[in-house]
Amino acid sequence: MRSLRAQIVDAAIALLNTSPPAGIPFAERIRFEPYGPEDLPAINVMPVREESEKKTGRWGPLLTRGFTLRVECRVSGSPADVILDPLLVWAGQSLGGQDFGLLAEDCYETLCEWSYAGSDQNYSMASLDFRINFSTLSNDPTRNSLLTP
Amino acid sequence: MPNFYQDADIPFLLCETGVWIEIPGAPRMKGIVDYASKEYLQTLQIAGIRGTAITAVVQTSALPSPLANKTPLIVDGQPMILRDAQQEGDGAITVLLCERPPP
């Protein structure tokens, strides 16, 4: 059984890859290999952080989790922010407000950072973090309710 | 007394391994070109972009003055755009940093 976190990442990537508009690339999951100029534009999705808190007390069953999912968009060309913008818009439209099929309580953008590098072409990146709030049983990260088997 | 290379010797040094470089406002010149791969824009130490640092070493005195960034060039038959020109050492040679024009 997979954790709710992993299922949320599955669902997020599926949403990003559902009928993206023209010019928007399919999202990859934690790509390690460098992109060549011919691979751009590109979207790489990765979990980066999670904080947990037990709000139900010592004997309560639930762990409240704040999960950060990062959507990294890389492009070449100028003006960089203009070329990156449609990718960021698509990520926001795909993931903003999602509950990922009742796996999560909310999902919203928390931070976007842009980076630039001049080389044989102008390369740019925008890293967009989504905060995803969800809960699991404190003794089982694969379940979010006492009722589900 | 040792003989040092002088400015007039630089074209001779570049002619063997150099390629033709054409810059508007200057006679065609030879320069040594390097294409060095480099990874840019990594985060969490993964998945950066593999770019290519394109440099051409030329004789400074052969360059037009002033030489503005974004000047179009022809390097070994390939169209390029000047990103920057940086003098090296005593200034007798200049490294041209080049980029490819947008596709």
Side-chain angles (χ1 to χ4, degrees):
Chain A
M1 190 65 183
R2 308 185 73 212
S3 69
L4 293 194
R5 179 190 316 107
Q7 294 178 56
I8 288 168
V9 177
D10 291 342
I13 292 172
L15 286 166
L16 286 166
N17 289 340
T18 301
S19 305
I24 304 294
F26 286 107
E28 291 185 86
R29 185 178 192 138
I30 319 180
R31 172 171 166 140
F32 281 71
E33 299 77 15
Y35 296 95
E38 67 281 2
D39 299 321
L40 303 177
I43 296 178
N44 196 13
V45 178
M46 64 196 72
V48 293
R49 189 180 310 106
E50 184 179 297
E51 309 97 36
S52 303
E53 190 178 356
K54 200 163 178 205
K55 293 182 176 174
T56 50
R58 170 67 181 88
W59 306 108
L62 290 178
L63 199 56
T64 302
R65 299 172 186 263
F67 173 49
T68 300
L69 184 70
R70 182 165 294 169
V71 177
E72 289 188 344
C73 305
R74 289 179 173 82
V75 300
S76 63
S78 294
D81 61 322
V82 173
I83 297 172
L84 282 164
D85 194 58
L87 282 69
L88 297 174
V89 167
W90 176 244
Q93 290 174 337
S94 301
L95 305 184
Q98 278 289 336
D99 63 10
F100 304 104
L102 299 180
L103 293 171
E105 291 138 26
D106 198 5
C107 174
Y108 52 91
E109 298 176 31
T110 54
L111 178 70
C112 189
E113 290 185 301
W114 287 260
S115 312
Y116 311 99
S119 177
D120 55 324
Q121 296 179 37
N122 292 324
Y123 299 115
S124 311
M125 178 178 74
S127 181
L128 180 58
D129 284 356
F130 287 86
R131 168 88 171 196
I132 300 170
N133 296 320
F134 69 105
S135 300
T136 67
L137 299 185
S138 58
N139 62 355
D140 187 353
T142 71
R143 296 171 61 200
N144 63 359
S145 163
L146 293 169
L147 301 175
T148 54
Chain B
M1 181 173 172
N3 286 324
F4 293 102
Y5 286 117
Q6 303 290 321
D7 193 51
D9 299 315
I10 292 175
F12 171 75
L13 295 170
L14 297 176
C15 73
E16 276 295 314
T17 53
V19 298
W20 287 114
I21 295 174
E22 297 172 47
I23 303 174
R28 197 164 74 134
M29 67 190 77
K30 284 274 184 115
I32 296 174
V33 178
D34 266 325
Y35 299 87
S37 291
K38 186 176 176 185
E39 195 168 337
Y40 301 93
L41 298 178
Q42 274 193 329
T43 55
L44 304 175
Q45 303 187 32
I46 63 168
I49 298 172
R50 186 190 63 253
T52 305
I54 305 172
T55 56
V57 176
V58 298
Q59 183 182 22
T60 301
S61 61
L63 294 172
S65 180
L67 179 59
N69 292 351
K70 296 197 172 189
T71 296
L73 319 169
I74 302 290
V75 177
D76 200 18
Q78 301 295 313
M80 300 271 179
I81 297 168
L82 180 67
R83 179 177 292 281
D84 197 14
Q86 299 175 351
Q87 292 188 1
E88 293 277 314
D90 61 2
I93 61 169
T94 293
V95 177
L96 306 178
L97 310 180
C98 305
E99 65 182 70
R100 300 182 203 277

